[in-house]
Amino acid sequence: MSTDAVQLRPTDGSARVGTGNPRGLPSPVILAGGKGTRLAPFTSVLPKPLMPLGDRPILDVLLQQLHAQGWDEATLAVGHMADLIRAYCGTGERYGMDVHYIQESTPLGTVGPLAFLPQETRANRLIVMNGDLLTSLRFPDLVAAHEESGALLSIAVMRRPIKVEFGVLDLGDHVGAAREITSYREKPEIESTVSMGVYVFEPEALDYVTPGERLDVPELICRLLDDGRRVAGYPFDGYWLDIGRHSDYQQAIDDFERIRDKLLAPAEVRA
């Protein structure tokens, strides 16, 4: 195995290894290795997935959601302050789950760590998510949509306005050395479809990843599309927040107490 990542055993020292979910669900992987530099100075003492929301950290919410929605194991891809995450989550007993770990010695992006999953886990379909998101998305619905699509990779997506922090001008014909201004919009909002940071991978998608290579999802998508493979987006219109900035974190704290019952509710069965 490359020195860029090593597989870790559970913190109780036993030799359990994630081998897929006995209920036929994809093997879940939570990406919990980032440094969270945009949330400094908080992340100088805590890894971002352990930032608190009320009486629990963000990672705690994700693991409880997975368990409530049918999963009984998960793998955490850790790096920055990995010992704190391992100490908190342990083997997953508090969640009624088995929690396993893979660890980066150097940052490998959002896809790179997946190359170091055990072969028996890589042979399964995966559901992969960022460890710093808060959402009411029902993960089994994303999995069902992925299966229907026949895609190699599916991404949960949402329509989201993006505010441009500048005045935006449209230019027309040349008037000497200048150009005529045909319209002006002051700090407009542009409706865009954005990734929610939750993905479903078919095992074959990982054939496009070289062990030890730093690789992010956008680069993998381009590789798949260039090779003529299908990539699907699953539109979602519920609650989602990517906790990347100070303002997002404060919003997550405010929202969590208001909608915690909805966030932690068991998944509804699709007809």
Side-chain angles (χ1 to χ4, degrees):
M1 180 174 290
S2 165
T3 57
D4 286 315
V6 292
Q7 184 186 339
L8 300 179
R9 293 180 177 179
T11 52
D12 64 359
S14 69
R16 293 177 296 129
V17 175
T19 57
N21 195 291
R23 300 177 186 176
L25 294 169
S27 298
V29 180
I30 299 177
L31 303 172
K35 292 185 177 180
T37 52
R38 290 182 297 168
L39 279 178
F42 301 131
T43 46
S44 63
V45 293
L46 278 178
K48 185 161 61 168
L50 292 188
M51 295 286 289
L53 294 176
D55 59 353
R56 67 194 68 203
I58 301 162
L59 182 56
D60 195 82
V61 175
L62 284 173
L63 287 167
Q64 289 198 31
Q65 285 180 314
L66 283 168
H67 184 252
Q69 295 177 34
W71 277 269
D72 57 17
E73 72 168 14
T75 297
L76 306 184
V78 296
H80 179 61
M81 298 188 183
D83 288 347
L84 290 179
I85 294 175
R86 294 174 65 201
Y88 182 84
C89 295
T91 60
E93 184 176 359
R94 75 172 70 204
Y95 309 106
M97 304 173 71
D98 290 331
V99 172
H100 318 286
Y101 301 86
I102 52 174
Q103 179 160 355
E104 304 168 321
S105 57
T106 59
L108 295 174
T110 50
V111 177
L114 305 182
F116 295 99
L117 290 167
Q119 185 57 45
E120 53 267 47
T121 302
R122 290 186 55 182
N124 299 323
R125 182 178 289 160
L126 303 177
I127 181 166
V128 180
M129 61 195 69
N130 295 340
D132 60 353
L133 60 88
L134 194 63
T135 183
S136 61
L137 171 69
R138 294 304 178 201
F139 304 128
D141 291 349
L142 169 62
V143 174
H146 167 80
E147 188 163 3
E148 293 167 357
S149 74
L152 213 59
L153 169 63
S154 292
I155 308 167
V157 298
M158 173 173 278
R159 295 290 292 173
R160 179 63 65 90
I162 298 176
K163 188 173 182 61
V164 179
E165 295 299 328
F166 305 96
V168 176
L169 300 90
D170 294 316
L171 301 180
D173 295 335
H174 285 275
V175 284
R179 293 182 64 179
E180 190 175 0
I181 294 175
T182 59
S183 70
Y184 180 90
R185 290 158 288 157
E186 176 62 18
K187 298 182 180 178
E189 287 191 346
I190 301 172
E191 280 287 330
S192 300
T193 299
V194 301
S195 168
M196 294 171 56
V198 187
Y199 319 96
V200 181
F201 289 75
E202 289 299 313
E204 192 179 347
L206 296 187
D207 292 343
Y208 292 79
V209 185
T210 302
E213 172 190 24
R214 180 183 174 89
L215 187 69
D216 289 313
V217 168
E219 297 166 284
L220 177 60
I221 290 173
C222 290
R223 291 182 184 182
L224 294 175
L225 295 178
D226 288 345
D227 204 27
R229 310 309 297 267
R230 179 178 297 170
V231 180
Y234 173 64
F236 177 67
D237 61 1
Y239 179 85
W240 170 73
L241 188 62
D242 174 14
I243 306 171
R245 301 170 300 179
H246 286 261
S247 58
D248 299 324
Y249 178 50
Q250 184 59 57
Q251 186 66 52
I253 292 172
D254 295 341
D255 290 346
F256 180 67
E257 292 304 324
R258 179 173 54 84
I259 61 173
R260 64 185 296 158
D261 290 343
K262 181 179 181 181
L263 289 171
L264 298 176
E268 297 177 3
V269 179
R270 272 177 57 135

